[in-house]
mmCIF file of all heavy atoms in Angstrom:
data_model
loop_
_atom_site.group_PDB
_atom_site.id
_atom_site.type_symbol
_atom_site.label_atom_id
_atom_site.label_comp_id
_atom_site.label_asym_id
_atom_site.label_seq_id
_atom_site.Cartn_x
_atom_site.Cartn_y
_atom_site.Cartn_z
ATOM 1 N N GLU B 100 18.294 66.986 -20.377
ATOM 2 C CA GLU B 100 18.497 68.431 -20.474
ATOM 3 C C GLU B 100 19.193 68.946 -19.192
ATOM 4 O O GLU B 100 20.103 69.765 -19.247
ATOM 5 C CB GLU B 100 17.121 69.103 -20.638
ATOM 6 C CG GLU B 100 17.178 70.462 -21.293
ATOM 7 C CD GLU B 100 15.766 71.063 -21.431
ATOM 8 O OE1 GLU B 100 14.763 70.283 -21.392
ATOM 9 O OE2 GLU B 100 15.673 72.296 -21.552
ATOM 10 N N VAL B 101 18.746 68.421 -18.058
ATOM 11 C CA VAL B 101 19.391 68.792 -16.785
ATOM 12 C C VAL B 101 20.877 68.452 -16.846
ATOM 13 O O VAL B 101 21.741 69.228 -16.449
ATOM 14 C CB VAL B 101 18.731 68.042 -15.595
ATOM 15 C CG1 VAL B 101 19.526 68.281 -14.304
ATOM 16 C CG2 VAL B 101 17.278 68.480 -15.418
ATOM 17 N N LYS B 102 21.139 67.252 -17.363
ATOM 18 C CA LYS B 102 22.513 66.750 -17.402
ATOM 19 C C LYS B 102 23.442 67.680 -18.172
ATOM 20 O O LYS B 102 24.635 67.798 -17.872
ATOM 21 C CB LYS B 102 22.515 65.358 -18.045
ATOM 22 C CG LYS B 102 23.685 64.495 -17.618
ATOM 23 C CD LYS B 102 23.517 63.062 -18.106
ATOM 24 C CE LYS B 102 24.685 62.203 -17.630
ATOM 25 N NZ LYS B 102 24.543 60.802 -18.086
ATOM 26 N N LYS B 103 22.900 68.358 -19.157
ATOM 27 C CA LYS B 103 23.714 69.289 -19.953
ATOM 28 C C LYS B 103 24.177 70.490 -19.144
ATOM 29 O O LYS B 103 25.151 71.150 -19.484
ATOM 30 C CB LYS B 103 22.896 69.796 -21.161
ATOM 31 C CG LYS B 103 22.753 68.803 -22.266
ATOM 32 C CD LYS B 103 21.969 69.437 -23.418
ATOM 33 C CE LYS B 103 21.472 68.358 -24.376
ATOM 34 N NZ LYS B 103 20.315 68.859 -25.172
ATOM 35 N N HIS B 104 23.446 70.774 -18.055
ATOM 36 C CA HIS B 104 23.799 71.948 -17.235
ATOM 37 C C HIS B 104 24.677 71.535 -16.054
ATOM 38 O O HIS B 104 24.377 71.831 -14.910
ATOM 39 C CB HIS B 104 22.521 72.664 -16.779
ATOM 40 C CG HIS B 104 21.777 73.289 -17.913
ATOM 41 N ND1 HIS B 104 21.989 74.595 -18.321
ATOM 42 C CD2 HIS B 104 20.859 72.777 -18.780
ATOM 43 C CE1 HIS B 104 21.231 74.872 -19.355
ATOM 44 N NE2 HIS B 104 20.518 73.770 -19.668
ATOM 45 N N GLY B 105 25.745 70.830 -16.399
ATOM 46 C CA GLY B 105 26.680 70.329 -15.374
ATOM 47 C C GLY B 105 27.828 71.295 -15.114
ATOM 48 O O GLY B 105 27.754 72.486 -15.441
ATOM 49 N N GLN B 106 28.919 70.734 -14.556
ATOM 50 C CA GLN B 106 30.040 71.563 -14.108
ATOM 51 C C GLN B 106 30.642 72.448 -15.201
ATOM 52 O O GLN B 106 31.088 73.554 -14.934
ATOM 53 C CB GLN B 106 31.152 70.680 -13.522
ATOM 54 C CG GLN B 106 30.726 69.985 -12.249
ATOM 55 C CD GLN B 106 31.918 69.543 -11.403
ATOM 56 O OE1 GLN B 106 33.007 70.098 -11.525
ATOM 57 N NE2 GLN B 106 31.703 68.556 -10.552
ATOM 58 N N SER B 107 30.651 71.911 -16.460
ATOM 59 C CA SER B 107 31.321 72.681 -17.505
ATOM 60 C C SER B 107 30.354 73.613 -18.246
ATOM 61 O O SER B 107 30.768 74.364 -19.121
ATOM 62 C CB SER B 107 32.013 71.721 -18.485
ATOM 63 O OG SER B 107 31.067 70.769 -18.928
ATOM 64 N N ALA B 108 29.067 73.544 -17.896
ATOM 65 C CA ALA B 108 28.100 74.395 -18.590
ATOM 66 C C ALA B 108 28.133 75.820 -18.034
ATOM 67 O O ALA B 108 28.616 76.067 -16.928
ATOM 68 C CB ALA B 108 26.695 73.804 -18.430
ATOM 69 N N GLU B 109 27.582 76.719 -18.834
ATOM 70 C CA GLU B 109 27.565 78.111 -18.408
ATOM 71 C C GLU B 109 26.546 78.318 -17.282
ATOM 72 O O GLU B 109 26.820 78.968 -16.284
ATOM 73 C CB GLU B 109 27.223 78.994 -19.608
ATOM 74 C CG GLU B 109 27.624 80.443 -19.423
ATOM 75 C CD GLU B 109 27.493 81.213 -20.727
ATOM 76 O OE1 GLU B 109 27.758 80.602 -21.806
ATOM 77 O OE2 GLU B 109 27.104 82.389 -20.686
ATOM 78 N N THR B 110 25.377 77.742 -17.457
ATOM 79 C CA THR B 110 24.366 77.815 -16.394
ATOM 80 C C THR B 110 24.213 76.432 -15.777
ATOM 81 O O THR B 110 24.197 75.423 -16.479
ATOM 82 C CB THR B 110 22.999 78.298 -16.928
ATOM 83 O OG1 THR B 110 22.610 77.447 -18.013
ATOM 84 C CG2 THR B 110 23.099 79.734 -17.412
ATOM 85 N N LYS B 111 24.108 76.403 -14.479
ATOM 86 C CA LYS B 111 24.176 75.134 -13.747
ATOM 87 C C LYS B 111 22.856 74.836 -13.060
ATOM 88 O O LYS B 111 22.332 75.655 -12.317
ATOM 89 C CB LYS B 111 25.335 75.200 -12.744
ATOM 90 C CG LYS B 111 26.696 75.317 -13.471
ATOM 91 C CD LYS B 111 27.863 75.509 -12.546
ATOM 92 C CE LYS B 111 29.184 75.483 -13.317
ATOM 93 N NZ LYS B 111 29.378 76.666 -14.221
ATOM 94 N N TRP B 112 22.354 73.600 -13.341
ATOM 95 C CA TRP B 112 21.054 73.207 -12.805
ATOM 96 C C TRP B 112 21.224 72.045 -11.835
ATOM 97 O O TRP B 112 22.155 71.249 -11.948
ATOM 98 C CB TRP B 112 20.119 72.746 -13.938
ATOM 99 C CG TRP B 112 19.741 73.827 -14.926
ATOM 100 C CD1 TRP B 112 20.140 75.132 -14.957
ATOM 101 C CD2 TRP B 112 18.869 73.645 -16.045
ATOM 102 N NE1 TRP B 112 19.598 75.796 -16.008
ATOM 103 C CE2 TRP B 112 18.792 74.904 -16.715
ATOM 104 C CE3 TRP B 112 18.128 72.573 -16.565
ATOM 105 C CZ2 TRP B 112 18.021 75.105 -17.850
ATOM 106 C CZ3 TRP B 112 17.359 72.764 -17.694
ATOM 107 C CH2 TRP B 112 17.308 74.030 -18.339
ATOM 108 N N ILE B 113 20.242 71.937 -10.941
ATOM 109 C CA ILE B 113 20.162 70.759 -10.079
ATOM 110 C C ILE B 113 18.708 70.326 -9.986
ATOM 111 O O ILE B 113 17.803 71.102 -10.315
ATOM 112 C CB ILE B 113 20.664 71.030 -8.637
ATOM 113 C CG1 ILE B 113 19.888 72.193 -7.999
ATOM 114 C CG2 ILE B 113 22.155 71.308 -8.611
ATOM 115 C CD1 ILE B 113 20.114 72.344 -6.509
#
Side-chain angles (χ1 to χ4, degrees):
Chain B
E100 203 180 339
V101 172
K102 205 171 182 180
K103 284 182 196 158
H104 293 269
Q106 294 201 23
S107 52
E109 199 170 325
T110 55
K111 295 175 175 68
W112 295 2
I113 56 168

